[in-house]
Amino acid sequence: MIAQTIQLSLAPVFVLVAIGNIMNILTTRLGRIVDRSRALQALHGKTTGPAHDAVVIEMRYVDRRIQLIGHALLVLVLSGIGIGVTVGTLFLGELLGHELRIAVQVTFFASIALLMVALVYLLLETRLVAQTLRLPRELLELDRKDL
């Protein structure tokens, strides 16, 4: 029966690998955001007027992005712990000779739900980036017909 338990634990382990990959993406994004926040902090004291206002606005977006990624990472860690509990419960049930089917179902469902919440946070962060990185329409010269 241990072979069957190992087979059953493969799907949650693949989810754990996916969680790790998403965490890698998020930490890379967070590193870039932190670098940008440091650059903005340096500009904050050196600018005045409209340029200063632009720095402050971007700092607010950067702060929101850091919050979203922080929440996503927290939820992903909880999801990963839930997957670990799911796999542990499978093996504990095998060891005790009892089926802990409901516990496995609940922990796996909760873990997948947390993973989906983390993906929503990632979506919100990327949408925020898309909003802030829009090029000013005047630079696009949309009225030009020769292009």
Side-chain angles (χ1 to χ4, degrees):
M1 278 304 199
I2 192 73
Q4 183 182 9
T5 303
I6 291 171
Q7 288 176 336
L8 285 174
S9 69
L10 285 179
V13 169
F14 282 123
V15 173
L16 194 57
V17 170
I19 289 170
N21 288 335
I22 296 168
M23 288 180 75
N24 187 31
I25 291 166
L26 288 173
T27 55
T28 300
R29 293 180 72 83
L30 184 60
R32 290 180 179 166
I33 296 167
V34 168
D35 290 344
R36 182 64 184 150
S37 73
R38 288 183 181 139
L40 289 169
Q41 289 175 45
L43 288 173
H44 186 269
K46 297 177 184 176
T47 57
T48 58
H52 180 78
D53 294 345
V55 168
V56 171
I57 289 169
E58 188 174 351
M59 287 177 78
R60 290 177 183 176
Y61 281 117
V62 165
D63 183 63
R64 182 68 181 135
R65 289 179 64 198
I66 289 170
Q67 289 176 5
L68 288 170
I69 289 182
H71 291 315
L73 286 168
L74 172 65
V75 174
L76 278 174
V77 168
L78 294 175
S79 179
I81 290 170
I83 293 295
V85 170
T86 299
V87 172
T89 304
L90 282 168
F91 283 98
L92 184 63
E94 178 65 28
L95 181 68
L96 297 175
H98 297 306
E99 279 195 30
L100 302 174
R101 186 175 298 171
I102 293 175
V104 169
Q105 291 171 348
V106 168
T107 57
F108 188 72
F109 176 80
S111 298
I112 295 300
L114 288 168
L115 174 59
M116 295 301 108
V117 169
L119 291 174
V120 168
Y121 278 123
L122 175 59
L123 175 66
L124 291 173
E125 192 269 338
T126 56
R127 298 285 299 159
L128 185 61
V129 172
Q131 288 175 347
T132 60
L133 294 180
R134 302 292 299 207
L135 293 171
R137 297 193 61 78
E138 61 271 7
L139 295 179
L140 297 176
E141 300 180 22
L142 295 174
D143 56 336
R144 290 185 58 189
K145 303 297 181 206
D146 61 327
L147 296 179

